[in-house]
Amino acid sequence: MKFQQYNDQDLIKLYLSGDESVLEELLKRHKSKIYTSIYLLVKDQYLAEDIFQDTFIKVINTLRSGRYNEEGKFLPWVMRIAHNLVIDFFRKEKRAPIITSADGTDVLNLLQVFEESAEERMLREQTHADLRAMIQQLPDDQKEVLIMRHYGDLSFKEIADLTGVSINTALGRMRYALSNLRKMMKVKEVS
């Protein structure tokens, strides 16, 4: 049975009525966005996979227990669970996220369609390193919104839901983050 024509809420109803195969469709629909947002915060592939699995275990347990009541808001609800698990991890580890992966790959590196010279590559790598360093200097709430928006590709509504603040607060944090980055860039240009 194909489930593409069903929305998330319909799939959840099917799951609750005993059709466990719909979980695969829910996973397929949302895995990329959920996993990416976790990975961009923890910067470790294996840890992101563990937290992703823990997220879906929690989702399944909540659905089975009959405690799910987020009418029509499945993805933001799952993202909030994932976000809370990431926060729990950092509380346990007492460390801040960084912008590189476990193997040192730069998350900021974009696929280059053109051949770049060694000088251009060095300049790009230095620029990304400078930007990463500046992002790390931002207050945690600003850094979090910036990462979720630009690297997790989340909407401000999703960010607001995940962080438990209003959309205006999320927008304000992003505005301050960008303003602070501009100020740091100007200081760097002068020095």
Side-chain angles (χ1 to χ4, degrees), residues 135-154:
I135 290 171
Q136 290 304 316
Q137 293 174 34
L138 292 173
D140 288 341
D141 57 350
Q142 293 174 21
K143 183 182 353 177
E144 179 181 52
V145 170
L146 182 91
I147 289 170
M148 293 171 100
R149 178 71 180 141
H150 285 288
Y151 304 111
D153 199 29
L154 298 178

Side-chain angles (χ1 to χ4, degrees), residues 44 57 64 86 101 112 121 129-130 150 159 187:
D44 179 282
I57 289 169
R64 285 183 178 162
V86 169
S101 67
Q112 299 294 322
R121 183 178 46 78
D130 292 346
H150 285 288
I159 293 168
V187 168

Side-chain angles (χ1 to χ4, degrees), residues 127 130-132 134-135 137 177-191:
T127 302
D130 292 346
L131 180 58
R132 276 194 313 277
M134 289 177 198
I135 290 171
Q137 293 174 34
L178 295 174
S179 174
N180 286 333
L181 285 174
R182 277 189 212 99
K183 288 175 190 170
M184 287 184 241
M185 287 176 192
K186 283 183 183 174
V187 168
K188 182 157 180 47
E189 286 173 10
V190 171
S191 59

Side-chain angles (χ1 to χ4, degrees), residues 53-117:
Q53 287 176 357
D54 289 346
T55 300
F56 263 85
I57 289 169
K58 201 164 192 169
V59 165
I60 290 166
N61 290 337
T62 303
L63 289 173
R64 285 183 178 162
S65 71
R67 292 180 287 136
Y68 174 77
N69 62 0
E70 302 285 329
E71 191 78 24
K73 298 178 182 176
F74 179 75
L75 181 60
W77 173 67
V78 175
M79 295 289 278
R80 193 166 50 247
I81 291 171
H83 183 259
N84 289 340
L85 289 171
V86 169
I87 289 171
D88 290 347
F89 169 78
F90 284 125
R91 280 187 186 136
K92 286 178 193 165
E93 295 295 314
K94 292 189 175 156
R95 64 184 187 93
I98 54 174
I99 309 293
T100 56
S101 67
D103 64 1
T105 304
D106 187 346
V107 173
L108 300 175
N109 276 343
L110 304 173
L111 291 174
Q112 299 294 322
V113 180
F114 58 92
E115 293 258 338
E116 60 184 349
S117 70

